[in-house]
Amino acid sequence: MNRVLVVEDEAAILQGLRDNLEFEGYEVFTALDGIAGLEQIRKHDPHLIVLDLMLPRLSGYELCRKLRAEGVNTPILMLTARGEEADHVLGLDLGADDYVTKPFSVRELMARVRALLRRTATATGLPDELEFDDVRVNFARYEATRAGRRVELTRKEFGLLRLLAAKEGAVVTRDELLEKVWGYDAMPTTRTVDNHLAALRAKLERDAADPQYLITVHGVGYKLVR
Ligand code: CA
């Protein structure tokens, strides 16, 4: 699941963004000022940051500059006030990837978020689609079918499958799967990974007891082969 951090000091806007992003299926973290935002970034390693420019303690500019100076490449969507054209330019100069001017339409903002995440996903090599046997998976839309019939996968199952697909043929360790799919502060055990893999097999393999695609590499992790 994609993690999105929203840093915004206007509580009503923050709440609106949180609700909409959660509705779209993102895991959302929030911060009301720049310092808290920085702490959230360190803690949750978000896939995308929605960053207001004018913030208490540490401004959006400063936060953006600091992150880029540290080599953090997380995409940043800046929120700027209407008519502050210079702000957009400066924001982009400092390493923001895109901006939206307040007051913004929620639909437009969501479209920008999706576009930025898609761009990054391509850049990081995470596939948008996967096909094997009679299974078709669209990761961007969280849709999976088997022999043309819809299969319900959880977000974590999509995440696991996508990571395995990104490294097709290579073993992915349980620890890496845990870290990338569950995140740093979650407390699941490697057993959790095993249970989710078993669930994926039950849904996608013809014979879960004799998997042909989702292969266990004993003592290490898993790999996807086609
Ligand atoms: Ca503000």
Side-chain angles (χ1 to χ4, degrees):
M1 186 190 298
N2 276 317
R3 296 182 296 277
V4 177
L5 170 67
V6 184
V7 191
E8 165 62 74
D9 59 321
E10 287 171 66
I13 295 179
L14 186 66
Q15 187 61 45
L17 286 174
R18 173 197 274 276
D19 290 348
N20 279 285
L21 287 162
E22 282 179 347
F23 183 77
E24 296 275 323
Y26 300 109
E27 186 176 5
V28 183
F29 302 95
T30 60
L32 285 160
D33 65 66
I35 299 289
L38 196 56
E39 286 165 6
Q40 293 285 66
I41 292 160
R42 306 255 192 263
K43 193 169 163 196
H44 299 293
D45 187 26
H47 298 94
L48 178 120
I49 304 164
V50 178
L51 181 63
D52 186 31
L53 263 189
M54 304 307 286
L55 291 167
R57 294 173 82 194
L58 184 70
S59 77
Y61 287 130
E62 292 164 311
L63 180 55
C64 188
R65 184 165 49 201
K66 188 172 171 55
L67 290 175
R68 296 306 187 233
E70 288 175 6
V72 177
N73 289 319
T74 311
I76 294 176
L77 177 61
M78 277 205 167
L79 304 179
T80 65
R82 184 193 286 283
E84 294 168 355
E85 194 59 41
D87 286 352
H88 310 155
V89 176
L90 183 55
L92 295 174
D93 277 351
L94 290 176
D97 298 272
D98 200 359
Y99 66 86
V100 169
T101 305
K102 292 179 182 175
F104 50 82
S105 89
V106 167
R107 218 170 64 176
E108 185 196 350
L109 187 127
M110 290 299 151
R112 300 289 186 91
V113 165
R114 277 194 300 273
L116 270 182
L117 284 171
R118 212 160 36 228
R119 231 192 285 163
T120 337
T122 313
T124 54
L126 282 177
D128 284 335
E129 293 175 359
L130 172 69
E131 294 187 11
F132 62 88
D133 198 10
D134 57 358
V135 172
R136 306 279 176 276
V137 183
N138 184 312
F139 294 108
R141 290 207 298 267
Y142 291 99
E143 286 172 6
T145 60
R146 187 174 163 191
R149 301 172 80 169
R150 184 85 181 244
V151 179
E152 297 299 332
L153 300 184
T154 66
R155 296 286 163 141
K156 296 289 189 227
E157 288 164 1
F158 273 112
L160 277 182
L161 194 56
R162 195 176 196 185
L163 205 55
L164 291 171
K167 301 197 169 185
E168 187 179 338
V171 58
V172 186
T173 67
R174 287 188 179 82
D175 283 341
E176 183 176 356
L177 289 166
L178 259 185
E179 181 188 307
K180 298 221 168 117
V181 179
W182 274 267
Y184 298 107
D185 64 328
M187 297 299 287
T189 64
T190 50
R191 186 59 136 165
T192 311
V193 177
D194 297 339
N195 291 339
H196 279 74
L197 246 301
L200 271 177
R201 278 182 185 143
K203 292 174 183 178
L204 304 178
E205 293 271 1
R206 284 173 192 260
D207 179 2
D210 181 25
Q212 303 297 306
Y213 303 95
L214 298 164
I215 308 298
T216 301
V217 181
H218 284 289
V220 186
Y222 295 93
K223 66 179 174 182
L224 173 78
V225 294
R226 290 197 284 180

